[in-house]
Amino acid sequence: MSKPDLATIQAVPDPLFIHEDALKISTFQVLDETGNVIQGIHEPHLEKDVALRIYHTMQFVRVLDERMVAAQRQGRISFYMQCLGEEAAIIASAAGLSDTDMIMSQYREHGALAYRGFTLEEFMNQMFSNECDLGKGRQMPIHYGSQRCHFMTVSSPLATQIPQAAGYAYGQKLKGADACTLCYFGEGAASEGDFHAGMNMAAVLKTPTIFFCRNNGYAISTAADEQYVGDGIACRGVGYGMKTIRVDGFDALAVYEATRVAREHACQHNEPVLIEAIAYRVGAHSTSDDPSGYRTKDEEEKWQKMDPVKRFEDYLLQKGWINLSEEEKRIEALKKDVLQAVKKAEKIDKPDLDQLIEDVYQTPPKHLKQQLQHLKDHIKKYPRHYPTTASRLD
Amino acid sequence: MSKPDLATIQAVPDPLFIHEDALKISTFQVLDETGNVIQGIHEPHLEKDVALRIYHTMQFVRVLDERMVAAQRQGRISFYMQCLGEEAAIIASAAGLSDTDMIMSQYREHGALAYRGFTLEEFMNQMFSNECDLGKGRQMPIHYGSQRCHFMTVSSPLATQIPQAAGYAYGQKLKGADACTLCYFGEGAASEGDFHAGMNMAAVLKTPTIFFCRNNGYAISTAADEQYVGDGIACRGVGYGMKTIRVDGFDALAVYEATRVAREHACQHNEPVLIEAIAYRVGAHSTSDDPSGYRTKDEEEKWQKMDPVKRFEDYLLQKGWINLSEEEKRIEALKKDVLQAVKKAEKIDKPDLDQLIEDVYQTPPKHLKQQLQHLKDHIKKYPRHYPTTASRLD
Amino acid sequence: MAQMNLLQAINSALDIAMAHNDGVVVFGEDVGQFGGVFRATSHLQEKYGKGRCFNTPLTEQGIAGFANGLAAQGCYPVAEMQFADYIFPAFDQIVNESAKFRYRSGNEFHVGGLTIRSPYGGGIAGGLYHSQSPEGYFTHTPGLKVVIPSNPYQAKGLLLSSIFDDDPVIFFEPKRLYRAAVGEVPEDEYRLPLGQAQVLEEGQDITLLAWGAQVEVIQKAAQLAKDEGMSCEVIDLCSLLPWDQETVVQSVIKTGRLLVSHEAPLTSGFGAEIAATVQEHAFLHLEAPIARVCGLDTPFPLVHEKEYLPDHLKVFEAIKYSLNY
Amino acid sequence: MAQMNLLQAINSALDIAMAHNDGVVVFGEDVGQFGGVFRATSHLQEKYGKGRCFNTPLTEQGIAGFANGLAAQGCYPVAEMQFADYIFPAFDQIVNESAKFRYRSGNEFHVGGLTIRSPYGGGIAGGLYHSQSPEGYFTHTPGLKVVIPSNPYQAKGLLLSSIFDDDPVIFFEPKRLYRAAVGEVPEDEYRLPLGQAQVLEEGQDITLLAWGAQVEVIQKAAQLAKDEGMSCEVIDLCSLLPWDQETVVQSVIKTGRLLVSHEAPLTSGFGAEIAATVQEHAFLHLEAPIARVCGLDTPFPLVHEKEYLPDHLKVFEAIKYSLNY
Ligand SMILES: Cc1ncc(C[n+]2csc(CCOP(=O)(O)OP(=O)(O)O)c2C)c(N)n1
Ligand SMILES: Cc1ncc(C[n+]2csc(CCOP(=O)(O)OP(=O)(O)O)c2C)c(N)n1
Ligand SMILES: [Mg+2]
Ligand SMILES: [Mg+2]
């Protein structure tokens, strides 16, 4: 049993409250807003190819987000979520991992998946729910997942992945894998009971999990000050007896380094680490949302200026690792690629009707086969009412 | 939106972890183990009559616990839970409240209910599930509740009362009552998701709730070091931006003062406070448990010596407020009372069969009345099989 | 009378309840200033202040727990679960706490003032986590009332009754109809009784039973059947717990046939309970097996939503099957 | 073969599974050194180490979430919920996560290795929070398997099958029988098929169906009926999801009558699903309404437990009612 040993109690003269702000947590930052390494800060070592991989993933995601928000407006897809403002937090953290570490995301972290090499076609197939979608058209757009990329399929119910990430990492440890699990979640999701359960279990059961909180100030319309009291989520890590890092989420270099160090610790000591990245959700929550109902343009503009891609770009420019005109060409090419991929994906057939009962169980049980057969018979009676499936029934 | 303002970020030179023990929390203590006020500590003001009410409630609970554990062994009741070792934490905290504040307990806090004047008969009627039980014989022994005593009926599912205590207190605030809600729970229950939900909601919604954690080192067989990492629950309060006090749970005077101060704060500022009382579950978890399977006699004896009743008694003796031989007489009388109350309560009839369908809804709906009628008809066919109820059917 | 859609009817009910009784408190994720992601709580914070209409942290178990406490204190909490798919973290607080609060305390305490509102159901391309119909789970829980309106008029009248009912009520709103269903709704307060089904159309050959958005589906099927000379009695159940056995059983005794339809998966859906009860009470009158036209036993799909849903054609086919049995 | 009680059979199954496969991990509240409050996991920590058999913090939602993650990683977690009454905080992780993991990912990921064990049911003077039978809730959840043994032999064989089954299994153990049920159990590994009912006694006049501890109740009633010249076919369902419709329907077609009995409240219990399905498939063969002998629609009582429970006398009366119908 471990608890404060009363024998060694430091008696306090008054029942003085421990104040709610007893714990001051600073923020790790490397680059200033112009992309220069802040004076007195040790510049983390970042290989050129990793830096470019981060940067090009940032570009990719920017282009993808812009095009897909437009595609949603045009009614080509039903739903989209962008990560504007959080590209550094998401992509540079993925870069701090080994590519075979498991990533369990919330939903706004397609940047991490892109970093892992999920292809443009794969993104499109998911968003268009076509028969090439790895997820077989079962979930709304942006619910990606890929065994190959070690990226767990997104699940809409918030925070459920947090205790799962503890369990997943426990399995990695049990098997002696040199791997950890990184779990993304928003500061809103951190209010769920599953957050508490998962953090505490990871700490007690010593799982190599990196809990990565994207604190972007909002959960849909709910501002952070209606979500928790205090300055963020980091202080909770200390409450769980967990090593914790707060990092400037607009600073890719700092995020990269923080995650790298966290991974090293998690894997070497089989211990979880909490990282809180301070960022801002510059765009709407999703294409179903309109933030003008709950926040001012002024506020948005203030944060927009902190552009994390620009900051990292400036750093790379100073390093002499990129050339802007080449990058512009690259972006133009990307835009075309995305457009073409949209056109291609929307032409691919929807999944076969048989998929309706697959994967509920490993093998469809009898009653499901009967239900499917019944359905097929019905569709054959009314082919015009079920045009997409009727035409393909044998 | 409130979050660390990046404009004023204190850049940290390395992604240095905030260490899991960044927050040191001391323990408030007034009396030393011999009942003397510790040098340099300001002696809290405790009225004599309140002191005696605390002390006599301690005696009552000691006698009750001892007798009822025995009664359970004799098979007279099915189940019992004692609070040996935690009398000061429980009773002195109730004393720090106003008698009309709501108490929402876990299950081991019958001392607080006794302090509020729940009668010996009321205790017995509940434990014997007889027809005088306020709870109408619906719950296992020790699940007390009393509107008159402002003591919410105990519910077995752990931690559910924590968010409820936030909501209850919010209602008190809304109605402008000069009252707060005190919510007891164990360090084990503090691992439930409901703990997190309730603490955070209370902090954000500013409810006058005192969260009182009895950290007694065990949750059934699970020791505190398998429950959380670190030295206790108090540090979590800081994570919720909540004022927090850690107190020596063996020291009635310190517990009283801490709760009094917490109540003052909660009511004046409409803010929750977390109190963690460090104690030890000296007895078995319940009469169904045998701790020899998971802890040593040595460990138990070490803590047994910290006897909180003895410590408070010594203090009262030094004050000249009690006389031991009188108190011994009182205890003898108490033992007789309890024995008699047992005998009386076990003779009282069980609740009427009609109670089976009462209180499911405010008024029994038709289908329940039919089910009851059907049951009565059945019992009349087999009176010998349902002897307790059959004899009383009209 | 005014033309209102279902959302406006809900909003009007909340507005009237809050004006009527200071103890009515409305909260949930994004219900405050923003008025909820569907805008059911629009303008309530403006009108009644942040103390009585507010955002909560993002925790359904916390919301339900908080609501239980507030109701126990004597208030009338109206808590929103943003989607019925997300009610499950609150399951313990609802099933073990709300439902058993009065019973376990011998009526020393109760949460009669509690109402939990939540948009439910499919037909909006929401896939498996924005389409569920979890009402069946709650019907297995004595102590709860479960209410589901099918149109704006009912929505307002039933919600007002639910809020002031003496027992905790789970109130599911068919989100597919939020804007699609429009009708005449009195602007003032009125209440519709809980526990009563509504016979929408009288008929002779078969009884069709549904609730919520599914009611219009069976009505459409009834029309198809009528066109072919079959006469359907159409019943809107309105309350699922307790439910109006008399009205349904009487109707089946008259028609000799019953079809129940819901979106939730077939197995152990509330249609099972209705079939089990009706076959018991109308056994000698049944001329065909009771038919259930329901969702398949799979999670709610995305691309095959149209095929999955128990639409009017499936209901129509089942009517014919029953009549030809 | 050895004489084992139901707890020993469970313990033996866990022991064999852990020996057989390194990926089997057993955890939950107090399951470590102490071996669980009922001692189902005795000596497993000693034998297989703290890494594979351990106490968790006190959080059912965490336990289920952790188990989901561990299963997704490729392990075979066997998580214990200390009482089935306390499974509800884990409801979201089970119903929204475990059940939909494979489906939502298109089989990129799955939690097939998951097993959740939990003692359930009444008859131990446990009142409303130590007596519940929540199996019905889970049967409304496609993607889960639900298994309930009724004796030590089944317990071991079905648990071993559940642990290594390709789908997540909720495994409820009738705690009233933990020590009361004793029987011959092979000491080595064996597996019993999931999804198959067991006909315990053949009969002509009526089919009696139950699962778990309720099986011995219907057997007792069958004996009473036999004494009065009635011949009952007794079926133990064993698996509730998916369930063995063929065996049950065939039996009812033969006997013309069905009685289902469970402890859980009547309304929307799994008996409803069975009645609804059987009346559909055996309609023309039914000579009396399908009878359900179940708990009342109240929380589980304490002092009136005896009256509340669907005992052999209630079943016997219902058999006579059915035969005289
Ligand atoms: C259990 C659950 N409750 C509610 C929702 C609806 N919902 C989707 S996103 C969201 C806000 C999440 O905010 P946050 O965690 O801060 O992430 P962000 O959107 O800012 O990236 C809500 C309430 C959900 N998906 N799951
Ligand atoms: C939700 C839930 N899970 C499990 C249990 C079973 N249980 C009853 S008491 C207990 C231990 C509680 O420990 P703690 O909170 O530390 O309180 P203490 O017994 O030490 O006073 C457990 C696991 C329960 N009652 N409710
Ligand atoms: Mg956010
Ligand atoms: Mg404890």
Side-chain angles (χ1 to χ4, degrees), chain A residues 317-335:
Chain A
L317 282 170
Q318 280 154 33
K319 284 273 185 192
W321 287 350
I322 56 169
N323 163 320
L324 270 194
S325 72
E326 256 175 47
E327 295 305 329
E328 268 161 35
K329 272 186 233 151
R330 180 187 263 279
I331 290 176
E332 283 317 305
L334 255 177
K335 286 185 181 169

Side-chain angles (χ1 to χ4, degrees), chain D residues 87-280:
Chain D
I87 201 170
F88 299 122
F91 206 71
D92 186 56
Q93 281 285 351
I94 297 172
V95 160
N96 259 345
E97 295 290 316
S98 315
K100 299 172 174 63
F101 221 95
R102 191 192 293 274
Y103 182 84
R104 74 182 179 209
S105 75
N107 206 24
E108 284 286 295
F109 300 95
H110 68 85
V111 295
L114 174 68
T115 305
I116 293 178
R117 299 177 38 246
S118 192
Y120 86 101
I124 59 152
L128 73 174
Y129 290 125
H130 294 84
S131 308
Q132 293 178 51
S133 297
E135 69 273 14
Y137 292 112
F138 297 95
T139 60
H140 190 39
T141 311
L144 298 179
K145 292 187 174 172
V146 178
V147 176
I148 308 186
S150 66
N151 61 51
Y153 177 78
Q154 275 186 10
K156 179 169 172 179
L158 288 173
L159 182 53
L160 276 162
S161 295
S162 297
I163 292 171
F164 296 113
D165 189 73
D166 290 322
D167 295 304
V169 177
I170 313 298
F171 191 88
F172 286 117
E173 302 166 5
K175 62 177 173 290
R176 174 154 63 85
L177 302 186
Y178 265 163
R179 291 169 209 280
V182 181
E184 291 285 308
V185 176
E187 277 161 291
D188 290 343
E189 174 162 4
Y190 64 96
R191 300 188 191 180
L192 296 174
L194 305 187
Q196 279 187 24
Q198 205 186 334
V199 179
L200 300 179
E201 292 166 43
E202 304 215 347
Q204 299 305 324
D205 299 333
I206 184 169
T207 303
L208 308 185
L209 178 65
W211 50 89
Q214 198 61 12
V215 170
E216 66 172 25
V217 174
I218 60 170
Q219 282 183 300
K220 219 166 150 185
Q223 188 55 52
L224 290 181
K226 197 174 175 186
D227 296 346
E228 302 207 358
M230 294 169 271
S231 157
C232 303
E233 181 135 317
V234 179
I235 303 183
D236 180 348
L237 195 57
C238 305
S239 286
L240 278 70
L241 192 68
W243 63 287
D244 188 348
Q245 298 188 13
E246 289 68 23
T247 299
V248 176
V249 169
Q250 280 313 314
S251 170
V252 176
I253 286 176
K254 181 178 80 176
T255 62
R257 290 181 171 85
L258 175 63
L259 180 155
V260 195
S261 183
H262 56 65
E263 277 183 24
L266 176 83
T267 297
S268 285
F270 193 57
E273 176 57 37
I274 291 170
T277 297
V278 171
Q279 66 85 31
E280 187 184 341

Side-chain angles (χ1 to χ4, degrees), chain B residues 86 106-108 186-189 214-220 281:
Chain B
E86 299 180 65
Q106 178 157 310
Y107 48 58
R108 208 182 291 285
E187 89 295 339
R214 295 182 292 96
N215 189 337
N216 63 6
Y218 283 91
I220 310 187
R281 198 197 73 210

Side-chain angles (χ1 to χ4, degrees), chain A residues 165-174 179-180 198-211 240-243 265-273, chain B residues 20 225-226 228-230, chain D residues 50-51 54-55 57 66:
Chain A
Y168 200 99
Y170 192 86
Q172 292 170 316
K173 170 175 113 172
L174 208 65
C180 68
M199 294 288 285
N200 189 42
M201 286 186 82
V204 173
L205 298 169
K206 296 195 165 301
T207 75
T209 316
I210 303 171
F211 295 103
Y240 296 114
M242 202 181 281
K243 289 203 169 40
H265 185 83
C267 288
Q268 271 174 24
H269 300 274
N270 278 323
E271 263 183 32
V273 177
Chain B
E20 57 271 31
D225 64 356
E226 295 177 306
Y228 56 76
V229 172
Chain D
K50 277 198 166 188
F54 51 87
N55 288 346
F66 189 91

